[in-house]
Amino acid sequence: MARSKGRLLVLEGIDGCGKTSQLQQLSSWLPTSGLMPAGSQLIVTREPGGTALGKSLRELLLHPPQDADPGPTAELLMYAADRAQHVDRVIQPALERGDWVLSDRFTGSTMAYQGYGRGLDRELITDLERIATRGLSPDVTVWLDIPLALSVQRRGSREEDRIEAEGFAFLERVSNGFSNLAKAHGWVSVMADRPLLEVAEAIQTALLTRAASWQR
Ligand code: T5A
């Protein structure tokens, strides 16, 4: 897929790391940050569930009806289908218009959860990623790094979805996966065990640094 004018920014991390809260912070900061070209819009989106089809897939993935929970391979293919539709209908058109896209999760989540968490073949996941994204990759991925116990504490007593209900050992593998991916792919790593505004500031500083290299 040809590179387009816009930028794709992604937030990754385990459940309860604070992505949604930081997405809100970033969506108010980015348009006033001076980073986005004049006239470009910020599209805030998420996976799974960034399209109408994706919303149905999200329900089936996270809150399936009784006896309809997907097995590991079906789960992997459903996340890939959600991504293919998301790239096709939302992300790529936005980038072609020159808009910026801020996504809560992208390909890193599939590698961390289905690859490291479920233990599915990582080469196969990479092949599938290429099909779903048609070669599109984020301009920057920010990983919110948080101790597992704190992420569980932050999620509190709210009802767990199907993936969260996998338990601590699963999440630990996912968390190690994110750590490996961040190192291997040069993601921005931000410690997320600090107050909300401190984390937001750390993300902003990192994005300003990263964006300076795009303009060279
Ligand atoms: N999945 C997804 C896969 O398995 N494979 C894939 O390919 C993809 C794309 C999606 C699920 O699907 C899985 C991963 C997930 O299990 P999701 O919608 O991304 O789920 O849901 P979660 O990651 O579970 O999102 P949450 O909303 O639960 O967590 P967030 O967004 O990380 O955290 P947030 O911001 O809601 O914060 C949680 C709590 O902590 C507080 C907040 O107020 C909130 O109460 N908080 C802080 N408190 C103190 N200090 C801070 N700095 C705080 N930041 C947030």
Side-chain angles (χ1 to χ4, degrees), residues 12-24 46-48 58 61-62 75-76 79-80 82-83 104-114 118 144 146 150-151 153-156 158 161-164 170-171 192-199:
E12 294 280 12
I14 53 172
D15 308 75
C17 66
K19 287 177 294 84
T20 310
S21 309
Q22 292 305 327
L23 212 76
Q24 284 162 4
R46 70 169 174 182
E47 290 192 1
R58 181 183 174 92
L61 279 160
L62 301 182
E75 176 184 281
L76 171 66
Y79 278 114
D82 169 73
R83 180 158 309 123
D104 187 340
R105 301 192 182 280
F106 196 58
T107 49
S109 282
T110 309
M111 194 53 92
Y113 282 84
Q114 281 64 52
R118 296 261 187 246
L144 297 183
I146 190 170
L150 181 57
S151 76
Q153 188 188 315
R154 280 196 189 162
R155 282 195 265 133
R158 106 184 162 188
D161 63 39
R162 194 180 59 88
I163 300 278
E164 288 165 351
F170 173 80
L171 267 190
D193 57 352
R194 299 176 276 172
L196 187 92
L197 292 180
E198 252 183 61
V199 178

XYZ file of all heavy atoms in Angstrom, residues 12-24 46-48 58 61-62 75-76 79-80 82-83 104-114 118 144 146 150-151 153-156 158 161-164 170-171 192-199, ligand 1:
546
model
N -0.977 1.254 22.692
C -1.063 -0.171 23.013
C -0.814 -0.382 24.510
O -0.191 0.465 25.166
C -0.008 -0.980 22.243
C -0.179 -1.022 20.729
C -1.235 -2.039 20.266
O -2.008 -2.555 21.098
O -1.279 -2.314 19.059
N -1.247 -1.517 25.001
C -0.984 -1.879 26.398
C -2.009 -2.873 26.902
O -3.026 -3.119 26.245
N -1.753 -3.431 28.083
C -2.684 -4.422 28.628
C -3.959 -3.723 29.118
O -3.973 -2.504 29.314
C -2.060 -5.257 29.780
C -1.493 -4.340 30.856
C -1.008 -6.210 29.243
C -1.059 -5.095 32.087
N -4.990 -4.520 29.320
C -6.278 -4.012 29.785
C -6.083 -3.211 31.074
O -5.413 -3.686 31.989
C -7.230 -5.184 30.072
C -7.316 -6.142 28.895
O -6.361 -6.918 28.695
O -8.307 -6.076 28.181
N -6.662 -2.032 31.113
C -6.600 -1.218 32.327
C -5.333 -0.390 32.456
O -5.091 0.233 33.495
N -4.504 -0.325 31.399
C -3.242 0.439 31.500
C -3.498 1.944 31.402
O -2.623 2.752 31.699
C -2.244 0.007 30.426
S -2.792 0.417 28.756
N -4.703 2.326 30.929
C -5.037 3.751 30.841
C -5.104 4.284 29.418
O -5.107 5.491 29.203
N -5.223 3.389 28.424
C -5.254 3.832 27.013
C -6.414 4.774 26.743
O -6.237 5.813 26.116
C -5.416 2.639 26.070
C -4.204 1.778 25.927
C -4.506 0.598 25.030
C -5.515 -0.341 25.622
N -6.909 -0.040 25.451
N -7.603 4.390 27.209
C -8.791 5.208 26.912
C -8.642 6.601 27.510
O -8.941 7.606 26.860
C -10.050 4.509 27.465
O -10.021 3.161 26.997
C -11.312 5.168 26.978
N -8.136 6.665 28.742
C -7.935 7.966 29.400
C -6.911 8.785 28.624
O -7.095 9.981 28.403
C -7.433 7.772 30.837
O -8.258 6.868 31.520
N -5.836 8.149 28.168
C -4.794 8.894 27.447
C -5.248 9.258 26.030
O -4.823 10.274 25.484
C -3.484 8.092 27.406
C -2.824 7.950 28.764
C -2.581 9.312 29.459
O -2.317 10.317 28.813
N -2.684 9.324 30.784
N -6.144 8.464 25.467
C -6.697 8.790 24.147
C -7.474 10.109 24.247
O -7.396 10.966 23.363
C -7.627 7.662 23.719
C -7.707 7.371 22.246
C -6.479 6.626 21.787
C -8.940 6.532 21.937
N -8.212 10.253 25.354
C -8.978 11.497 25.553
C -8.033 12.683 25.691
O -8.247 13.742 25.113
C -9.862 11.389 26.796
C -11.097 10.534 26.562
C -11.750 10.056 27.850
O -11.335 10.424 28.952
N -12.750 9.216 27.713
N -10.787 2.911 17.323
C -10.284 1.818 18.159
C -10.466 0.468 17.498
O -11.245 0.315 16.561
C -11.003 1.816 19.502
C -12.458 1.398 19.398
C -12.996 1.160 20.768
N -14.418 0.881 20.759
C -15.132 0.665 21.850
N -14.563 0.710 23.028
N -16.409 0.399 21.788
N -9.713 -0.501 18.034
C -9.873 -1.902 17.623
C -10.034 -2.754 18.881
O -9.311 -2.518 19.845
C -8.629 -2.374 16.858
C -8.514 -1.719 15.503
C -7.450 -2.379 14.617
O -6.818 -3.352 15.059
O -7.274 -1.915 13.496
N -10.905 -3.722 18.871
C -11.866 -3.945 17.808
C -13.009 -2.943 17.912
O -13.236 -2.388 18.993
C -12.358 -5.381 18.094
C -12.224 -5.539 19.582
C -11.023 -4.725 19.967
N -16.759 -6.949 17.700
C -16.334 -6.657 19.082
C -17.262 -7.347 20.083
O -16.805 -7.966 21.040
C -16.329 -5.143 19.305
C -15.880 -4.752 20.703
C -15.931 -3.252 20.951
N -15.617 -2.982 22.329
C -14.400 -2.723 22.793
N -13.388 -2.623 21.977
N -14.185 -2.550 24.079
N -16.600 -10.994 20.043
C -15.292 -11.334 20.618
C -15.290 -11.188 22.140
O -14.736 -12.027 22.847
C -14.214 -10.419 20.032
C -13.689 -10.830 18.664
C -13.019 -9.651 17.961
C -12.696 -11.987 18.817
N -15.880 -10.098 22.621
C -15.733 -9.786 24.054
C -16.916 -10.230 24.904
O -16.749 -10.534 26.087
C -15.485 -8.282 24.237
C -14.231 -7.747 23.526
C -14.039 -6.264 23.800
C -12.976 -8.529 23.922
N -10.821 -16.656 16.879
C -10.598 -15.359 17.536
C -9.573 -14.530 16.744
O -9.790 -13.347 16.453
C -10.102 -15.609 18.961
C -9.731 -14.355 19.719
C -9.163 -14.700 21.091
O -9.947 -15.006 22.002
O -7.923 -14.660 21.243
N -8.460 -15.180 16.368
C -7.417 -14.491 15.600
C -7.986 -13.940 14.283
O -7.740 -12.783 13.912
C -6.280 -15.484 15.306
C -5.194 -15.026 14.334
C -4.399 -13.864 14.923
C -4.246 -16.191 14.009
N -10.284 -10.877 14.842
C -9.536 -9.626 15.050
C -8.953 -9.148 13.710
O -8.910 -7.951 13.438
C -8.423 -9.799 16.095
C -8.922 -9.701 17.523
C -8.897 -10.795 18.382
C -9.411 -8.503 18.026
C -9.354 -10.709 19.686
C -9.871 -8.400 19.339
C -9.840 -9.511 20.162
O -10.303 -9.407 21.451
N -8.513 -10.103 12.883
C -7.952 -9.718 11.572
C -9.037 -9.133 10.675
O -8.803 -8.151 9.959
C -7.297 -10.933 10.914
N -11.764 -7.597 11.676
C -12.053 -6.258 12.216
C -11.028 -5.254 11.688
O -11.366 -4.151 11.261
C -12.002 -6.329 13.751
C -12.029 -4.946 14.378
O -13.095 -4.314 14.356
O -10.970 -4.480 14.851
N -9.750 -5.660 11.698
C -8.666 -4.747 11.261
C -8.754 -4.474 9.756
O -8.571 -3.335 9.324
C -7.308 -5.357 11.630
C -6.126 -4.483 11.226
C -4.903 -4.815 12.038
N -5.225 -4.797 13.454
C -5.046 -5.819 14.292
N -4.485 -6.933 13.877
N -5.402 -5.720 15.562
N -6.876 3.349 19.358
C -6.751 2.573 20.592
C -6.569 1.125 20.136
O -7.536 0.491 19.731
C -8.051 2.767 21.391
C -8.009 2.164 22.776
O -7.175 1.281 23.020
O -8.834 2.580 23.611
N -5.329 0.647 20.127
C -4.907 -0.688 19.687
C -4.820 -0.807 18.164
O -5.580 -0.195 17.424
C -5.839 -1.819 20.194
C -5.948 -1.887 21.706
C -6.640 -3.183 22.126
N -6.806 -3.256 23.564
C -5.846 -3.618 24.415
N -4.669 -3.953 23.953
N -6.065 -3.671 25.712
N -3.866 -1.677 17.738
C -3.704 -2.022 16.311
C -3.004 -3.372 16.268
O -3.243 -4.224 17.132
C -2.930 -0.883 15.602
C -2.997 -0.901 14.105
C -4.216 -0.851 13.433
C -1.838 -0.946 13.334
C -4.285 -0.853 12.036
C -1.882 -0.942 11.944
C -3.110 -0.897 11.296
N -2.101 -3.569 15.321
C -1.509 -4.896 15.106
C -0.741 -5.437 16.315
O -0.687 -6.643 16.531
C -0.541 -4.848 13.913
O 0.320 -3.719 14.091
C -1.284 -4.674 12.603
N -0.154 -4.537 17.109
C 0.615 -4.973 18.278
C -0.239 -5.794 19.232
O 0.237 -6.754 19.849
N -1.524 -5.434 19.335
C -2.401 -6.169 20.263
C -2.586 -7.612 19.810
O -2.641 -8.528 20.639
C -3.772 -5.486 20.363
O -3.695 -4.361 21.193
N -2.694 -7.836 18.499
C -2.885 -9.222 18.031
C -1.641 -10.053 18.334
O -1.729 -11.197 18.793
C -3.190 -9.258 16.517
O -4.256 -8.353 16.273
C -3.590 -10.638 16.061
N -0.467 -9.446 18.084
C 0.757 -10.200 18.364
C 0.878 -10.465 19.874
O 1.255 -11.565 20.298
C 1.972 -9.414 17.844
C 3.230 -10.226 17.767
S 3.046 -11.774 16.824
C 3.504 -11.262 15.188
N 0.544 -9.458 20.693
C 0.688 -9.642 22.145
C -0.340 -10.634 22.706
O 0.014 -11.550 23.455
C 0.556 -8.282 22.850
N -1.615 -10.465 22.330
C -2.670 -11.295 22.939
C -2.770 -12.685 22.292
O -2.802 -13.690 22.982
C -4.040 -10.591 22.837
C -4.220 -9.485 23.856
C -3.730 -8.214 23.624
C -4.892 -9.718 25.058
C -3.897 -7.194 24.548
C -5.067 -8.704 25.994
C -4.561 -7.445 25.737
O -4.723 -6.449 26.667
N -2.844 -12.692 20.935
C -3.032 -14.005 20.287
C -1.678 -14.713 20.118
O -1.604 -15.933 20.210
C -3.734 -13.841 18.930
C -5.253 -13.639 19.021
C -5.682 -12.376 19.723
O -5.223 -11.282 19.392
N -6.549 -12.505 20.714
N -1.979 -16.295 23.708
C -2.585 -17.596 23.357
C -1.556 -18.598 22.855
O -1.858 -19.788 22.717
C -3.608 -17.423 22.228
C -4.798 -16.575 22.590
C -5.991 -17.453 22.955
N -7.182 -16.647 23.148
C -7.785 -16.512 24.321
N -7.327 -17.114 25.399
N -8.868 -15.775 24.428
N 1.867 1.810 26.740
C 1.704 2.217 28.137
C 2.074 1.027 29.019
O 1.335 0.042 29.098
C 0.262 2.677 28.399
C -0.182 3.903 27.609
C -1.600 4.324 28.005
C 0.779 5.074 27.807
N 2.723 -0.821 32.437
C 2.177 -0.728 33.796
C 2.349 -2.071 34.500
O 2.190 -3.125 33.862
C 0.674 -0.330 33.723
C 0.118 0.012 35.099
C -0.174 -1.376 33.053
C -1.260 0.634 35.063
N -1.261 -3.380 39.214
C -1.900 -2.061 39.185
C -2.985 -2.008 38.107
O -4.045 -1.403 38.306
C -0.840 -0.967 38.966
C -1.354 0.470 38.948
C -2.105 0.825 40.238
C -0.198 1.459 38.742
N -2.731 -2.663 36.967
C -3.753 -2.649 35.897
C -5.014 -3.372 36.374
O -6.125 -2.940 36.101
C -3.214 -3.271 34.609
O -3.178 -4.670 34.700
N -5.930 -3.654 39.497
C -6.523 -2.775 40.512
C -7.318 -1.649 39.833
O -8.425 -1.319 40.241
C -5.387 -2.190 41.352
C -5.835 -1.407 42.564
C -4.617 -0.719 43.188
O -3.550 -1.324 43.355
N -4.759 0.549 43.507
N -6.783 -1.096 38.771
C -7.472 0.013 38.087
C -8.773 -0.439 37.441
O -9.706 0.336 37.321
C -6.558 0.627 37.018
C -5.550 1.576 37.616
C -4.959 2.444 36.526
N -3.837 3.214 37.025
C -2.936 3.772 36.253
N -3.018 3.635 34.949
N -1.952 4.482 36.768
N -8.781 -1.696 37.006
C -10.028 -2.186 36.393
C -11.112 -2.357 37.442
O -12.296 -2.400 37.124
C -9.766 -3.509 35.671
C -9.089 -3.288 34.331
C -9.189 -4.534 33.504
N -8.018 -5.366 33.622
C -8.028 -6.678 33.836
N -9.142 -7.326 33.976
N -6.902 -7.350 33.913
N -10.676 -2.490 38.720
C -11.602 -2.528 39.846
C -12.603 -3.660 39.753
O -12.296 -4.752 39.289
N -15.355 -3.692 37.975
C -16.213 -3.710 36.778
C -16.205 -5.115 36.149
O -15.233 -5.846 36.274
C -15.720 -2.595 35.832
C -15.015 -3.054 34.689
C -14.413 -2.095 33.767
N -13.454 -2.940 33.052
C -12.549 -2.525 32.219
N -12.414 -1.249 31.992
N -11.748 -3.372 31.617
N -14.540 -8.651 30.552
C -14.949 -9.212 29.270
C -14.249 -10.562 29.102
O -13.489 -11.004 29.968
C -14.680 -8.230 28.105
C -13.195 -7.910 27.914
O -12.370 -8.838 28.064
O -12.868 -6.754 27.598
N -14.493 -11.237 27.975
C -13.997 -12.614 27.776
C -12.475 -12.683 27.843
O -11.907 -13.637 28.372
C -14.508 -13.136 26.417
C -14.366 -14.633 26.212
C -14.907 -15.037 24.854
N -14.210 -14.359 23.798
C -13.091 -14.810 23.214
N -12.578 -15.953 23.591
N -12.514 -14.118 22.260
N -11.784 -11.645 27.301
C -10.323 -11.677 27.273
C -9.766 -11.393 28.680
O -8.852 -12.082 29.156
C -9.781 -10.648 26.251
C -10.303 -10.958 24.838
C -8.261 -10.589 26.281
C -9.577 -12.014 24.050
N -10.356 -10.403 29.360
C -9.882 -10.077 30.723
C -10.066 -11.265 31.660
O -9.278 -11.479 32.577
C -10.650 -8.858 31.261
C -10.230 -7.567 30.578
C -11.198 -6.418 30.819
O -12.284 -6.643 31.378
O -10.862 -5.293 30.423
N -2.228 -15.382 31.849
C -2.422 -14.988 30.440
C -1.968 -13.528 30.251
O -1.173 -13.223 29.359
C -3.902 -15.153 30.065
C -4.259 -14.632 28.697
C -3.996 -15.385 27.560
C -4.865 -13.386 28.544
C -4.328 -14.904 26.288
C -5.194 -12.899 27.277
C -4.925 -13.655 26.156
N -2.457 -12.662 31.138
C -2.097 -11.234 31.017
C -0.601 -11.014 31.182
O -0.019 -10.106 30.595
C -2.849 -10.414 32.070
C -4.183 -9.808 31.630
C -4.691 -8.830 32.676
C -4.067 -9.106 30.278
N 3.162 3.980 32.844
C 1.795 4.465 33.023
C 1.311 4.334 34.467
O 0.129 4.475 34.747
C 0.877 3.695 32.084
N 2.258 4.080 35.396
C 1.865 3.916 36.796
C 1.928 5.248 37.543
O 2.058 5.280 38.755
C 2.754 2.864 37.477
C 4.238 3.211 37.393
O 4.592 4.183 36.671
O 5.051 2.511 38.035
N 1.857 6.341 36.780
C 1.952 7.674 37.387
C 0.602 8.383 37.238
O -0.257 7.913 36.502
C 3.029 8.477 36.652
C 4.398 7.858 36.745
C 5.383 8.635 35.918
N 5.382 8.269 34.519
C 6.061 8.917 33.576
N 6.769 9.979 33.881
N 6.034 8.512 32.323
N 0.449 9.550 37.894
C -0.823 10.270 37.736
C -1.118 10.568 36.262
O -0.188 10.741 35.456
C -0.602 11.560 38.530
C 0.496 11.230 39.497
C 1.359 10.206 38.830
N -2.397 10.626 35.958
C -2.879 10.778 34.579
C -2.161 11.877 33.789
O -1.707 11.656 32.659
C -4.376 11.094 34.659
C -5.119 11.136 33.354
C -5.694 9.765 33.042
C -6.250 12.146 33.406
N -2.038 13.063 34.407
C -1.473 14.186 33.649
C 0.028 14.021 33.430
O 0.568 14.484 32.436
C -1.781 15.517 34.344
C -3.266 15.883 34.322
C -3.529 17.216 35.022
C -3.831 15.909 32.903
N 0.693 13.326 34.365
C 2.133 13.060 34.179
C 2.335 12.117 32.993
O 3.254 12.294 32.190
C 2.701 12.382 35.435
C 3.587 13.301 36.244
C 4.184 12.556 37.430
O 4.915 11.561 37.242
O 3.890 12.974 38.566
N 1.473 11.109 32.902
C 1.576 10.163 31.780
C 1.295 10.918 30.477
O 2.014 10.763 29.484
C 0.579 8.981 31.955
C 0.653 8.027 30.779
C 0.833 8.247 33.263
N -7.598 -7.668 21.800
C -7.657 -6.555 21.022
C -6.975 -8.821 21.352
O -6.951 -9.838 22.056
N -6.407 -8.827 20.112
C -6.460 -7.747 19.286
O -5.948 -7.809 18.137
C -7.104 -6.553 19.755
C -7.169 -5.335 18.876
C -10.224 -4.976 23.750
C -9.853 -6.365 24.186
O -9.539 -7.106 23.019
C -8.242 -7.655 23.132
C -7.525 -6.803 24.136
C -8.620 -6.368 25.075
O -8.758 -7.366 26.065
P -10.351 -2.702 24.887
O -11.562 -2.048 24.416
O -9.079 -2.240 24.319
O -10.575 -4.263 24.787
O -10.374 -2.657 26.418
P -9.256 -2.509 27.468
O -7.866 -2.473 27.011
O -9.629 -3.542 28.471
O -9.586 -1.049 27.852
P -10.011 -0.529 29.212
O -10.942 0.606 28.965
O -10.422 -1.579 30.134
O -8.648 -0.052 29.753
P -7.776 1.168 29.351
O -8.393 1.901 28.225
O -6.390 0.727 29.216
O -7.835 2.038 30.680
P -8.770 3.264 31.090
O -8.230 4.502 30.556
O -10.187 2.891 30.839
O -8.451 3.249 32.632
C -8.872 2.214 33.498
C -9.185 2.848 34.883
O -7.986 3.414 35.407
C -8.144 4.819 35.647
C -9.337 5.251 34.794
O -9.986 6.357 35.339
C -10.206 4.002 34.818
O -10.952 3.968 35.991
N -6.889 5.454 35.222
C -5.995 5.961 36.105
N -5.993 6.039 37.442
C -4.896 6.602 38.015
N -3.810 7.090 37.317
C -3.789 7.036 35.986
N -2.724 7.478 35.311
C -4.914 6.432 35.306
N -5.196 6.198 33.999
C -6.401 5.601 33.980
